[in-house]
PDB file of all heavy atoms in Angstrom:
ATOM      1  N   PRO A   7     188.278 -45.153 139.988  1.00 43.00           N
ATOM      2  CA  PRO A   7     188.085 -44.026 139.080  1.00 43.00           C
ATOM      3  C   PRO A   7     189.191 -42.975 139.127  1.00 43.00           C
ATOM      4  O   PRO A   7     189.684 -42.563 138.097  1.00 43.00           O
ATOM      5  CB  PRO A   7     186.734 -43.458 139.506  1.00 43.00           C
ATOM      6  CG  PRO A   7     186.013 -44.629 140.068  1.00 43.00           C
ATOM      7  CD  PRO A   7     187.060 -45.456 140.745  1.00 43.00           C
ATOM      8  N   GLN A  30     200.235 -24.587 108.529  1.00 89.00           N
ATOM      9  CA  GLN A  30     201.153 -25.342 109.389  1.00 89.00           C
ATOM     10  C   GLN A  30     202.591 -25.307 108.862  1.00 89.00           C
ATOM     11  O   GLN A  30     203.520 -25.027 109.613  1.00 89.00           O
ATOM     12  CB  GLN A  30     200.676 -26.787 109.530  1.00 89.00           C
ATOM     13  CG  GLN A  30     199.328 -26.938 110.223  1.00 89.00           C
ATOM     14  CD  GLN A  30     199.336 -26.442 111.660  1.00 89.00           C
ATOM     15  OE1 GLN A  30     200.028 -26.970 112.513  1.00 89.00           O
ATOM     16  NE2 GLN A  30     198.554 -25.399 111.940  1.00 89.00           N
ATOM     17  N   LEU A  45     219.427 -18.168 117.656  1.00 95.00           N
ATOM     18  CA  LEU A  45     220.627 -18.900 118.075  1.00 95.00           C
ATOM     19  C   LEU A  45     221.892 -18.242 117.531  1.00 95.00           C
ATOM     20  O   LEU A  45     222.872 -18.050 118.265  1.00 95.00           O
ATOM     21  CB  LEU A  45     220.551 -20.351 117.597  1.00 95.00           C
ATOM     22  CG  LEU A  45     219.470 -21.242 118.217  1.00 95.00           C
ATOM     23  CD1 LEU A  45     219.548 -22.653 117.628  1.00 95.00           C
ATOM     24  CD2 LEU A  45     219.617 -21.311 119.733  1.00 95.00           C
ATOM     25  N   LEU A  61     235.870  -5.521 125.098  1.00 88.00           N
ATOM     26  CA  LEU A  61     234.503  -5.630 125.623  1.00 88.00           C
ATOM     27  C   LEU A  61     234.470  -6.278 127.007  1.00 88.00           C
ATOM     28  O   LEU A  61     233.439  -6.814 127.418  1.00 88.00           O
ATOM     29  CB  LEU A  61     233.631  -6.439 124.651  1.00 88.00           C
ATOM     30  CG  LEU A  61     233.498  -5.881 123.230  1.00 88.00           C
ATOM     31  CD1 LEU A  61     232.610  -6.782 122.393  1.00 88.00           C
ATOM     32  CD2 LEU A  61     232.945  -4.458 123.248  1.00 88.00           C
ATOM     33  N   GLU A 117     215.445 -13.570 133.374  1.00 93.00           N
ATOM     34  CA  GLU A 117     215.505 -12.420 132.460  1.00 93.00           C
ATOM     35  C   GLU A 117     215.027 -11.143 133.148  1.00 93.00           C
ATOM     36  O   GLU A 117     215.628 -10.081 132.981  1.00 93.00           O
ATOM     37  CB  GLU A 117     214.673 -12.690 131.209  1.00 93.00           C
ATOM     38  CG  GLU A 117     214.747 -11.575 130.200  1.00 93.00           C
ATOM     39  CD  GLU A 117     214.514 -12.036 128.777  1.00 93.00           C
ATOM     40  OE1 GLU A 117     214.553 -13.249 128.508  1.00 93.00           O
ATOM     41  OE2 GLU A 117     214.301 -11.162 127.918  1.00 93.00           O
ATOM     42  N   MET A 124     221.084  -5.054 134.889  1.00 92.00           N
ATOM     43  CA  MET A 124     221.666  -4.233 133.822  1.00 92.00           C
ATOM     44  C   MET A 124     221.278  -2.762 133.979  1.00 92.00           C
ATOM     45  O   MET A 124     222.079  -1.862 133.684  1.00 92.00           O
ATOM     46  CB  MET A 124     221.223  -4.778 132.458  1.00 92.00           C
ATOM     47  CG  MET A 124     221.813  -6.156 132.146  1.00 92.00           C
ATOM     48  SD  MET A 124     221.059  -6.962 130.711  1.00 92.00           S
ATOM     49  CE  MET A 124     221.836  -6.069 129.366  1.00 92.00           C
ATOM     50  N   ALA A 125     220.056  -2.517 134.446  1.00 91.00           N
ATOM     51  CA  ALA A 125     219.630  -1.135 134.706  1.00 91.00           C
ATOM     52  C   ALA A 125     220.432  -0.535 135.862  1.00 91.00           C
ATOM     53  O   ALA A 125     220.822   0.645 135.812  1.00 91.00           O
ATOM     54  CB  ALA A 125     218.134  -1.105 135.026  1.00 91.00           C
ATOM     55  N   LEU A 128     223.838   0.446 134.582  1.00 89.00           N
ATOM     56  CA  LEU A 128     223.778   1.725 133.875  1.00 89.00           C
ATOM     57  C   LEU A 128     223.642   2.901 134.840  1.00 89.00           C
ATOM     58  O   LEU A 128     224.263   3.952 134.656  1.00 89.00           O
ATOM     59  CB  LEU A 128     222.587   1.721 132.903  1.00 89.00           C
ATOM     60  CG  LEU A 128     222.787   1.013 131.566  1.00 89.00           C
ATOM     61  CD1 LEU A 128     221.461   0.929 130.820  1.00 89.00           C
ATOM     62  CD2 LEU A 128     223.826   1.727 130.719  1.00 89.00           C
ATOM     63  N   MET A 130     224.745   3.046 137.944  1.00 92.00           N
ATOM     64  CA  MET A 130     226.035   3.273 138.596  1.00 92.00           C
ATOM     65  C   MET A 130     227.021   3.940 137.641  1.00 92.00           C
ATOM     66  O   MET A 130     227.789   4.826 138.037  1.00 92.00           O
ATOM     67  CB  MET A 130     226.608   1.956 139.108  1.00 92.00           C
ATOM     68  CG  MET A 130     225.831   1.314 140.243  1.00 92.00           C
ATOM     69  SD  MET A 130     225.696   2.382 141.706  1.00 92.00           S
ATOM     70  CE  MET A 130     227.420   2.586 142.147  1.00 92.00           C
ATOM     71  N   SER A 177     189.259 -31.192 130.097  1.00 77.00           N
ATOM     72  CA  SER A 177     189.858 -31.517 128.805  1.00 77.00           C
ATOM     73  C   SER A 177     191.382 -31.615 128.919  1.00 77.00           C
ATOM     74  O   SER A 177     192.006 -30.912 129.710  1.00 77.00           O
ATOM     75  CB  SER A 177     189.486 -30.441 127.787  1.00 77.00           C
ATOM     76  OG  SER A 177     190.231 -30.585 126.607  1.00 77.00           O
ATOM     77  N   MET A 252     214.436  -0.156 125.391  1.00 82.00           N
ATOM     78  CA  MET A 252     213.587  -0.776 124.369  1.00 82.00           C
ATOM     79  C   MET A 252     213.344  -2.249 124.679  1.00 82.00           C
ATOM     80  O   MET A 252     212.226  -2.749 124.550  1.00 82.00           O
ATOM     81  CB  MET A 252     214.234  -0.614 122.991  1.00 82.00           C
ATOM     82  CG  MET A 252     214.180   0.791 122.432  1.00 82.00           C
ATOM     83  SD  MET A 252     215.194   0.985 120.952  1.00 82.00           S
ATOM     84  CE  MET A 252     214.304  -0.050 119.798  1.00 82.00           C
ATOM     85  N   MET A 255     210.918  -2.540 127.707  1.00 86.00           N
ATOM     86  CA  MET A 255     209.527  -2.266 127.387  1.00 86.00           C
ATOM     87  C   MET A 255     208.896  -3.411 126.595  1.00 86.00           C
ATOM     88  O   MET A 255     207.735  -3.763 126.818  1.00 86.00           O
ATOM     89  CB  MET A 255     209.403  -0.948 126.600  1.00 86.00           C
ATOM     90  CG  MET A 255     209.871   0.277 127.371  1.00 86.00           C
ATOM     91  SD  MET A 255     209.210   0.396 129.062  1.00 86.00           S
ATOM     92  CE  MET A 255     207.472   0.619 128.731  1.00 86.00           C
ATOM     93  N   ALA A 264     200.298 -10.178 130.136  1.00 75.00           N
ATOM     94  CA  ALA A 264     199.954 -11.605 130.115  1.00 75.00           C
ATOM     95  C   ALA A 264     199.694 -12.169 131.502  1.00 75.00           C
ATOM     96  O   ALA A 264     198.760 -12.954 131.698  1.00 75.00           O
ATOM     97  CB  ALA A 264     201.087 -12.394 129.441  1.00 75.00           C
ATOM     98  N   TYR A 265     200.501 -11.780 132.503  1.00 75.00           N
ATOM     99  CA  TYR A 265     200.437 -12.435 133.813  1.00 75.00           C
ATOM    100  C   TYR A 265     199.718 -11.641 134.897  1.00 75.00           C
ATOM    101  O   TYR A 265     199.288 -12.222 135.898  1.00 75.00           O
ATOM    102  CB  TYR A 265     201.853 -12.764 134.290  1.00 75.00           C
ATOM    103  CG  TYR A 265     202.478 -13.920 133.552  1.00 75.00           C
ATOM    104  CD1 TYR A 265     203.416 -13.707 132.556  1.00 75.00           C
ATOM    105  CD2 TYR A 265     202.111 -15.231 133.836  1.00 75.00           C
ATOM    106  CE1 TYR A 265     203.982 -14.759 131.859  1.00 75.00           C
ATOM    107  CE2 TYR A 265     202.666 -16.295 133.144  1.00 75.00           C
ATOM    108  CZ  TYR A 265     203.613 -16.051 132.161  1.00 75.00           C
ATOM    109  OH  TYR A 265     204.160 -17.100 131.460  1.00 75.00           O
ATOM    110  N   LEU A 280     200.499 -12.710 122.996  1.00 80.00           N
ATOM    111  CA  LEU A 280     201.418 -12.081 123.953  1.00 80.00           C
ATOM    112  C   LEU A 280     202.619 -12.976 124.229  1.00 80.00           C
ATOM    113  O   LEU A 280     203.749 -12.495 124.350  1.00 80.00           O
ATOM    114  CB  LEU A 280     200.673 -11.772 125.253  1.00 80.00           C
ATOM    115  CG  LEU A 280     199.693 -10.593 125.212  1.00 80.00           C
ATOM    116  CD1 LEU A 280     198.823 -10.582 126.457  1.00 80.00           C
ATOM    117  CD2 LEU A 280     200.441  -9.269 125.084  1.00 80.00           C
ATOM    118  N   LEU A 291     214.719  -9.856 118.596  1.00 84.00           N
ATOM    119  CA  LEU A 291     215.009  -8.436 118.395  1.00 84.00           C
ATOM    120  C   LEU A 291     216.155  -7.925 119.265  1.00 84.00           C
ATOM    121  O   LEU A 291     216.829  -6.961 118.898  1.00 84.00           O
ATOM    122  CB  LEU A 291     213.756  -7.605 118.676  1.00 84.00           C
ATOM    123  CG  LEU A 291     212.587  -7.776 117.699  1.00 84.00           C
ATOM    124  CD1 LEU A 291     211.403  -6.937 118.152  1.00 84.00           C
ATOM    125  CD2 LEU A 291     212.996  -7.398 116.279  1.00 84.00           C
ATOM    126  N   LYS A 301     228.305   0.837 118.916  1.00 78.00           N
ATOM    127  CA  LYS A 301     229.483   0.901 118.047  1.00 78.00           C
ATOM    128  C   LYS A 301     230.560  -0.094 118.466  1.00 78.00           C
ATOM    129  O   LYS A 301     231.263  -0.658 117.612  1.00 78.00           O
ATOM    130  CB  LYS A 301     230.053   2.333 118.057  1.00 78.00           C
ATOM    131  CG  LYS A 301     229.125   3.355 117.405  1.00 78.00           C
ATOM    132  CD  LYS A 301     229.731   4.752 117.460  1.00 78.00           C
ATOM    133  CE  LYS A 301     228.785   5.772 116.831  1.00 78.00           C
ATOM    134  NZ  LYS A 301     229.351   7.156 116.905  1.00 78.00           N
TER     135      LYS A 301
END
Side-chain angles (χ1 to χ4, degrees):
Q30 296 297 296
L45 293 180
L61 301 180
E117 183 153 346
M124 292 169 77
L128 279 172
M130 293 301 299
S177 169
M252 287 170 67
M255 298 312 295
Y265 286 102
L280 286 168
L291 293 177
K301 293 179 181 179

